[in-house]
Amino acid sequence: MPILQWLNRDESIAAAGKAVYRILEDDPSLSYGDDSPNLLVHGDNLEALKALLPYYAGQVKCIYIDPPYNTRSAFEHYDDNLEHSTWLQMMYPRLELLRDLLREDGSIWVSIDDNEAHYLKVLMDEVFGRKNFVVDIAWQKRTSPANDAKYFSNDYDDLLVYTKSKSSWQLNRLERTEAQDSYYKNPDNDHRGPWNSITYTGNKTKTERPNLYYGIVNPNTGKVVYPPDTLTWRYGEETHAHNVKNNLLYWGKSGQSNVPRLKMFLRDAENVVPRSMWMASDTGSSQQSMTEQKILFPNPFGTPKPELLLSRILHIATNPGDLVLDSFLGSGTTAAVAHKMGRRWIGVEIGDHAVTHCVPRLQKVVDGEQGGISKAVNWQGGGGFRFARLGDTVFDELGQINPAIRFPALAAHVWFSETGEPYRGKADSALLGVHDGTAYYLLYNGILGDKRPAGGNVLTTKVLAELPAYDGPKVIFGEASRIGAPRMAELGISFRQTPYDIKSR
């Protein structure tokens, strides 16, 4: 598969692996509402995504990001003027970490414009796999032309959609609209209600499909008719007989047509397959999003997306209770919409507007604000969110465990680095859990009840006796072991020395 080459590509590819693990430190003063799984993280999104891995790897159903477009124009809240290779260097490791956070049946949606869309497509082909590309949606962001444009009025943004595993992903169709239902009429007063019709002819010739070329009778005239222009009927004779018996053929207002049409009833109509062109009338525009911002903030965010756009994405890609992630949160639109739609969410934002825009906006959402999609989804308020900042690194520059790290943070890191699974335990026991038949233990800073900093960190016969029992292979992390190798082999124990045997990156 072709790949992109750019300055410092090798460094870009290694960046995700070299990023340090940091702990997430809650800030109760900026958290709001009820205890909640929703999380707003203030910090660099590369380090934040790395910090989220031990807890959320493979758990996110939908990722939406609206990264800088690299348009070579400065915005108030962030610098979008990045040299092309620097932009690619920024995006690659973040896409890698986002892929690792995505569920097997999850999807990622990336807003971009034509400054970088084609390069991003190739980049995402490499990270997510070309076979997992779904669609490039054109979103109409502008409803009137930009007459001050030098060449063309740029009226749409791209929205690239990929899955983690396309064979595992299923989308939700869009609900039918009144306009779509209005095409269904009932000119013959059919007792089954309104219907629309589709063509009864196929797209093959009688030479290609002779079994679909036969005469049918118009019951109003008694005339035998054949498909026009040497084409075929869409259905075989057995199916045609079924259609006739069930009064599914329509021969026109006069009943004299030589080619019938097939009735399709509104009562049987399915929800609508999403199209790849999204009009502003259905999903909002940049102007509409600015109007939403002015209601929310005295100092609006520079490049927001409308809540309608995000609601369509989340409708297609998620169900209530699913986890949504936006690591370029901006003013908080993704989190606000996810909250109103009953999805769990994680938002990451490096700028000061994490506090000046995201926090107050999401507080208003919890309190029941009625802007954006609120009335459409009958939002009445509720829930809450945690606010967190990136704290200390789990390991220092020499690879030693940071003495400030407490047991729960190291437990999550050890579990994830060993199993590749997010940690869901309570971190109240030396036994972290059992994975694929192996039990994992961590001896660290008083977990066995010894309050001394180093208490219980060394594996001895006494410490082993105090560990929660497990009849099977065991991996035990500790500072040292005083049990001989033959005895440990007999007990099915693999000892790992901290910090040396813990992956620090």
Side-chain angles (χ1 to χ4, degrees):
M1 182 183 71
I3 61 173
L4 275 179
Q5 291 290 343
W6 67 89
L7 185 66
N8 297 327
R9 173 185 161 86
D10 291 344
E11 294 178 17
S12 306
I13 293 174
K18 290 183 177 180
V20 297
Y21 282 98
R22 293 185 178 274
I23 61 171
L24 296 172
E25 295 181 341
D26 284 358
D27 184 343
S29 70
L30 291 173
S31 301
Y32 194 75
D34 301 334
D35 289 339
S36 171
N38 302 323
L39 178 63
L40 173 56
V41 181
H42 186 197
D44 175 79
N45 56 14
L46 182 66
E47 293 187 342
L49 292 173
K50 194 71 175 276
L52 291 169
L53 278 177
Y55 305 96
Y56 298 101
Q59 299 299 301
V60 179
K61 186 65 165 67
C62 176
I63 295 169
Y64 171 79
I65 57 173
D66 186 12
Y69 284 8
N70 202 18
T71 58
R72 299 193 176 279
S73 52
F75 295 87
E76 180 180 354
H77 297 292
Y78 61 80
D79 182 7
D80 198 28
N81 187 19
L82 298 174
E83 195 273 336
H84 176 61
S85 63
T86 305
W87 187 88
L88 294 169
Q89 188 173 8
M90 180 269 291
M91 289 298 298
Y92 191 94
R94 287 161 175 81
L95 290 172
E96 282 194 307
L97 293 176
L98 289 169
R99 177 200 60 206
D100 293 342
L101 287 161
L102 203 58
R103 273 170 42 171
E104 283 298 304
D105 63 347
S107 59
I108 178 171
W109 305 60
V110 186
S111 284
I112 201 69
D113 71 4
D114 51 13
N115 283 283
E116 296 288 358
H118 308 84
Y119 297 95
L120 179 62
K121 171 67 169 65
V122 179
L123 205 65
M124 294 186 72
D125 280 349
E126 181 176 348
V127 175
F128 290 91
R130 184 179 174 87
K131 65 181 179 180
N132 291 318
F133 170 69
V134 178
V135 69
D136 179 0
I137 295 168
W139 170 59
Q140 183 192 17
K141 65 181 178 182
R142 192 188 302 276
T143 55
S144 57
N147 288 320
D148 58 347
K150 185 176 180 180
Y151 299 113
F152 286 82
S153 173
N154 190 351
D155 295 339
Y156 75 94
D157 277 354
D158 293 88
L159 185 55
L160 296 181
V161 184
Y162 282 76
T163 63
K164 180 80 169 281
S165 173
K166 199 171 182 179
S167 61
S168 301
W169 187 64
Q170 290 186 329
L171 58 77
N172 296 319
R173 292 189 174 198
L174 300 174
E175 295 179 0
R176 302 187 61 82
T177 66
E178 290 184 7
Q180 290 163 340
D181 289 349
S182 69
Y183 290 104
Y184 289 77
K185 309 294 184 182
N186 196 357
D188 61 350
N189 295 316
D190 195 303
H191 70 278
R192 290 165 290 189
W195 52 269
N196 201 351
S197 65
I198 62 172
T199 180
Y200 209 65
T201 54
N203 57 7
K204 301 293 185 180
T205 67
K206 65 179 182 179
T207 302
E208 295 172 306
R209 295 293 300 275
N211 63 310
L212 297 180
Y213 187 84
Y214 54 90
I216 64 176
V217 178
N218 182 333
N220 303 302
T221 64
K223 182 180 179 181
V224 177
V225 298
Y226 289 84
D229 303 324
T230 71
L231 295 176
T232 61
W233 300 123
R234 176 175 286 192
Y235 308 99
E237 293 188 68
E238 184 177 343
T239 301
H240 171 70
H242 168 84
N243 294 338
V244 170
K245 180 180 178 180
N246 289 278
N247 188 27
L248 295 177
L249 269 62
Y250 178 62
W251 294 89
K253 291 182 179 180
S254 66
Q256 307 295 308
S257 174
N258 288 330
V259 180
R261 293 179 66 85
L262 183 70
K263 293 180 179 180
M264 305 293 290
F265 291 93
L266 177 59
R267 69 181 190 180
D268 300 323
E270 297 181 352
N271 284 340
V272 182
V273 174
R275 302 181 69 175
S276 61
M277 181 175 290
W278 290 6
M279 307 307 293
S281 56
D282 299 319
T283 54
S285 64
S286 294
Q287 183 178 0
Q288 180 175 335
S289 59
M290 284 305 298
T291 300
E292 293 173 354
Q293 290 279 310
K294 290 176 181 177
I295 294 173
L296 291 167
F297 308 114
N299 180 25
F301 189 76
T303 56
K305 294 294 185 290
E307 290 198 9
L308 268 176
L309 175 65
L310 269 299
S311 68
R312 172 168 286 197
I313 292 171
L314 297 189
H315 173 87
I316 292 172
T318 67
N319 295 302
D322 284 340
L323 181 60
V324 176
L325 169 64
D326 185 344
S327 56
F328 292 86
L329 191 59
S331 64
T333 303
T334 303
V337 172
H339 199 110
K340 294 177 185 180
M341 293 179 68
R343 278 64 169 169
R344 297 173 294 133
W345 55 264
I346 300 171
V348 181
E349 180 51 56
I350 189 173
D352 292 340
H353 44 288
V355 175
T356 61
H357 287 67
C358 296
V359 168
R361 179 177 190 173
L362 294 168
Q363 288 174 340
K364 292 175 183 178
V365 170
V366 172
D367 291 340
E369 62 91 357
Q370 291 299 296
I373 65 166
S374 292
K375 290 183 174 61
V377 299
N378 193 30
W379 175 246
Q380 301 297 320
F385 62 90
R386 293 163 45 215
F387 185 94
R389 291 186 172 87
L390 291 173
D392 291 327
T393 58
V394 178
F395 301 90
D396 63 23
E397 62 277 6
L398 298 177
Q400 299 295 314
I401 298 173
N402 189 324
I405 299 301
R406 305 270 62 86
F407 182 85
L410 188 60
H413 179 86
V414 167
W415 177 263
F416 174 70
S417 64
E418 287 294 311
T419 68
E421 300 288 338
Y423 183 61
R424 299 188 182 91
K426 296 181 180 180
D428 58 358
S429 167
L431 175 58
L432 304 184
V434 178
H435 179 76
D436 288 344
T438 298
Y440 291 86
Y441 296 81
L442 174 63
L443 306 177
Y444 181 71
N445 285 16
I447 190 61
L448 296 178
D450 190 334
K451 299 305 180 184
R452 294 173 298 167
N457 291 1
V458 176
L459 180 61
T460 64
T461 301
K462 178 182 177 183
V463 167
L464 180 62
E466 295 177 9
L467 295 178
Y470 177 73
D471 185 17
K474 295 174 276 290
V475 174
I476 300 177
F477 284 83
E479 288 183 1
S481 173
R482 299 290 184 261
I483 302 176
R487 177 59 175 159
M488 284 201 290
E490 179 183 337
L491 295 171
I493 297 173
S494 296
F495 182 76
R496 310 276 173 85
Q497 188 176 16
T498 56
Y500 310 107
D501 292 333
I502 301 177
K503 297 176 184 176
S504 61
R505 284 181 171 80

